[in-house]
Amino acid sequence: MNHSANCLHYGHDRFRTLLASIRSDIRRFQTKSAENLAAPDDLLHRGSAFFTPEILAQTLYRLSHFAYVNGWRRSAILLSRLNSYVHKINIPPQSCIGPGLHIPHPCAITFCGCAGEHLTLYSLATCGATYEYADPPLSACPVLGDRIISGAHQAILGPVVVGNDVILGVGVSKIEEHIASTVLVYPRQARVFVSKPRAIEDFLRPSGGNSI
């Protein structure tokens, strides 16, 4: 999905959609999972969540992207640079991310590309174009589906398409092919393996050294 199609799908040029995306990000912050209900969804708790580093960083990105798609490029760049300076997070304003963004520790994260709903980015995650681009077009960047979990210390570079419900494990540093939906990706001996679909509980459980 290219930039224009992604933004057209979510309506990122409309102010009410901007507010809806921020509300969705806050709700995602409050509800980490079905088993982890951090706080009730009321005005007091939403206001408290808004002033956390995670939501402030994501809101600055949302504002920069809103300015970008409406043609206010200087304002978009200013907001993006402010976000980089204050929160040490690099999300260029042309990047298009759906609602429900979750960045637990907004530091040393780089994302340039398109993503669907409920994207999770952990610290030191990198997603963008290959190194020959100083100011990459989105056509040279990854396209991620819905409910992607991007682990710490991972780098996904180039025009790779990642399907829905994919977990990019800690330390993944190279993906050469498109990744289908509902898989786990993890590094091992400088290679990338793609597992058969299985539950996240199995992924977190020690495997006793057996490969998939």
PDB file of all heavy atoms in Angstrom, residues 127-140:
ATOM      1  N   CYS A 127      13.176   0.817  10.924  1.00  0.00           N
ATOM      2  CA  CYS A 127      12.390   0.398   9.777  1.00  0.00           C
ATOM      3  C   CYS A 127      12.431   1.526   8.758  1.00  0.00           C
ATOM      4  O   CYS A 127      11.979   2.633   9.051  1.00  0.00           O
ATOM      5  CB  CYS A 127      10.956   0.093  10.208  1.00  0.00           C
ATOM      6  SG  CYS A 127       9.906  -0.552   8.906  1.00  0.00           S
ATOM      7  N   GLY A 128      12.998   1.252   7.580  1.00  0.00           N
ATOM      8  CA  GLY A 128      13.103   2.324   6.597  1.00  0.00           C
ATOM      9  C   GLY A 128      13.766   1.857   5.322  1.00  0.00           C
ATOM     10  O   GLY A 128      13.864   0.659   5.040  1.00  0.00           O
ATOM     11  N   ALA A 129      14.241   2.812   4.554  1.00  0.00           N
ATOM     12  CA  ALA A 129      14.892   2.511   3.284  1.00  0.00           C
ATOM     13  C   ALA A 129      16.329   2.061   3.514  1.00  0.00           C
ATOM     14  O   ALA A 129      16.873   2.179   4.617  1.00  0.00           O
ATOM     15  CB  ALA A 129      14.858   3.745   2.383  1.00  0.00           C
ATOM     16  N   THR A 130      16.934   1.528   2.473  1.00  0.00           N
ATOM     17  CA  THR A 130      18.339   1.142   2.546  1.00  0.00           C
ATOM     18  C   THR A 130      19.217   2.396   2.578  1.00  0.00           C
ATOM     19  O   THR A 130      18.754   3.513   2.365  1.00  0.00           O
ATOM     20  CB  THR A 130      18.717   0.249   1.353  1.00  0.00           C
ATOM     21  OG1 THR A 130      18.282   0.884   0.138  1.00  0.00           O
ATOM     22  CG2 THR A 130      18.030  -1.096   1.459  1.00  0.00           C
ATOM     23  N   TYR A 131      20.505   2.193   2.814  1.00  0.00           N
ATOM     24  CA  TYR A 131      21.377   3.297   3.196  1.00  0.00           C
ATOM     25  C   TYR A 131      21.692   4.273   2.065  1.00  0.00           C
ATOM     26  O   TYR A 131      22.217   5.352   2.319  1.00  0.00           O
ATOM     27  CB  TYR A 131      22.683   2.734   3.763  1.00  0.00           C
ATOM     28  CG  TYR A 131      22.479   1.915   5.003  1.00  0.00           C
ATOM     29  CD1 TYR A 131      22.678   0.537   4.993  1.00  0.00           C
ATOM     30  CD2 TYR A 131      22.071   2.513   6.185  1.00  0.00           C
ATOM     31  CE1 TYR A 131      22.468  -0.222   6.136  1.00  0.00           C
ATOM     32  CE2 TYR A 131      21.852   1.766   7.337  1.00  0.00           C
ATOM     33  CZ  TYR A 131      22.061   0.404   7.301  1.00  0.00           C
ATOM     34  OH  TYR A 131      21.857  -0.352   8.426  1.00  0.00           O
ATOM     35  N   GLU A 132      21.391   3.945   0.813  1.00  0.00           N
ATOM     36  CA  GLU A 132      21.723   4.872  -0.269  1.00  0.00           C
ATOM     37  C   GLU A 132      20.784   6.069  -0.344  1.00  0.00           C
ATOM     38  O   GLU A 132      21.009   6.991  -1.118  1.00  0.00           O
ATOM     39  CB  GLU A 132      21.722   4.157  -1.627  1.00  0.00           C
ATOM     40  CG  GLU A 132      20.383   3.573  -2.029  1.00  0.00           C
ATOM     41  CD  GLU A 132      20.280   2.090  -1.685  1.00  0.00           C
ATOM     42  OE1 GLU A 132      20.979   1.656  -0.756  1.00  0.00           O
ATOM     43  OE2 GLU A 132      19.519   1.381  -2.349  1.00  0.00           O
ATOM     44  N   TYR A 133      19.724   6.052   0.457  1.00  0.00           N
ATOM     45  CA  TYR A 133      18.759   7.153   0.449  1.00  0.00           C
ATOM     46  C   TYR A 133      18.997   8.068   1.636  1.00  0.00           C
ATOM     47  O   TYR A 133      18.995   7.637   2.777  1.00  0.00           O
ATOM     48  CB  TYR A 133      17.330   6.625   0.509  1.00  0.00           C
ATOM     49  CG  TYR A 133      16.896   5.862  -0.710  1.00  0.00           C
ATOM     50  CD1 TYR A 133      16.951   4.468  -0.739  1.00  0.00           C
ATOM     51  CD2 TYR A 133      16.420   6.526  -1.828  1.00  0.00           C
ATOM     52  CE1 TYR A 133      16.533   3.766  -1.860  1.00  0.00           C
ATOM     53  CE2 TYR A 133      16.004   5.836  -2.952  1.00  0.00           C
ATOM     54  CZ  TYR A 133      16.068   4.453  -2.963  1.00  0.00           C
ATOM     55  OH  TYR A 133      15.662   3.767  -4.066  1.00  0.00           O
ATOM     56  N   ALA A 134      19.183   9.381   1.344  1.00  0.00           N
ATOM     57  CA  ALA A 134      19.272  10.363   2.417  1.00  0.00           C
ATOM     58  C   ALA A 134      17.879  10.835   2.821  1.00  0.00           C
ATOM     59  O   ALA A 134      17.588  11.025   3.996  1.00  0.00           O
ATOM     60  CB  ALA A 134      20.128  11.545   1.978  1.00  0.00           C
ATOM     61  N   ASP A 135      17.004  11.036   1.831  1.00  0.00           N
ATOM     62  CA  ASP A 135      15.619  11.430   2.081  1.00  0.00           C
ATOM     63  C   ASP A 135      14.741  10.471   1.290  1.00  0.00           C
ATOM     64  O   ASP A 135      14.305  10.774   0.182  1.00  0.00           O
ATOM     65  CB  ASP A 135      15.382  12.873   1.643  1.00  0.00           C
ATOM     66  CG  ASP A 135      13.997  13.373   2.021  1.00  0.00           C
ATOM     67  OD1 ASP A 135      13.354  12.738   2.885  1.00  0.00           O
ATOM     68  OD2 ASP A 135      13.564  14.388   1.444  1.00  0.00           O
ATOM     69  N   PRO A 136      14.456   9.298   1.841  1.00  0.00           N
ATOM     70  CA  PRO A 136      13.860   8.223   1.041  1.00  0.00           C
ATOM     71  C   PRO A 136      12.407   8.468   0.683  1.00  0.00           C
ATOM     72  O   PRO A 136      11.632   8.978   1.500  1.00  0.00           O
ATOM     73  CB  PRO A 136      13.995   7.003   1.955  1.00  0.00           C
ATOM     74  CG  PRO A 136      13.990   7.574   3.328  1.00  0.00           C
ATOM     75  CD  PRO A 136      14.695   8.898   3.228  1.00  0.00           C
ATOM     76  N   PRO A 137      12.002   8.088  -0.529  1.00  0.00           N
ATOM     77  CA  PRO A 137      10.574   8.056  -0.844  1.00  0.00           C
ATOM     78  C   PRO A 137       9.936   6.833  -0.194  1.00  0.00           C
ATOM     79  O   PRO A 137      10.611   5.831   0.082  1.00  0.00           O
ATOM     80  CB  PRO A 137      10.568   7.935  -2.371  1.00  0.00           C
ATOM     81  CG  PRO A 137      11.839   7.216  -2.688  1.00  0.00           C
ATOM     82  CD  PRO A 137      12.838   7.679  -1.666  1.00  0.00           C
ATOM     83  N   LEU A 138       8.654   6.876   0.047  1.00  0.00           N
ATOM     84  CA  LEU A 138       7.989   5.759   0.703  1.00  0.00           C
ATOM     85  C   LEU A 138       7.994   4.507  -0.166  1.00  0.00           C
ATOM     86  O   LEU A 138       7.862   3.398   0.350  1.00  0.00           O
ATOM     87  CB  LEU A 138       6.557   6.133   1.072  1.00  0.00           C
ATOM     88  CG  LEU A 138       6.407   7.107   2.251  1.00  0.00           C
ATOM     89  CD1 LEU A 138       4.943   7.307   2.580  1.00  0.00           C
ATOM     90  CD2 LEU A 138       7.155   6.619   3.472  1.00  0.00           C
ATOM     91  N   SER A 139       8.157   4.681  -1.473  1.00  0.00           N
ATOM     92  CA  SER A 139       8.228   3.512  -2.359  1.00  0.00           C
ATOM     93  C   SER A 139       9.465   2.671  -2.104  1.00  0.00           C
ATOM     94  O   SER A 139       9.525   1.510  -2.502  1.00  0.00           O
ATOM     95  CB  SER A 139       8.199   3.964  -3.821  1.00  0.00           C
ATOM     96  OG  SER A 139       9.296   4.837  -4.098  1.00  0.00           O
ATOM     97  N   ALA A 140      10.470   3.246  -1.424  1.00  0.00           N
ATOM     98  CA  ALA A 140      11.696   2.515  -1.099  1.00  0.00           C
ATOM     99  C   ALA A 140      11.696   2.002   0.335  1.00  0.00           C
ATOM    100  O   ALA A 140      12.714   1.483   0.803  1.00  0.00           O
ATOM    101  CB  ALA A 140      12.913   3.410  -1.324  1.00  0.00           C
TER     102      ALA A 140
END
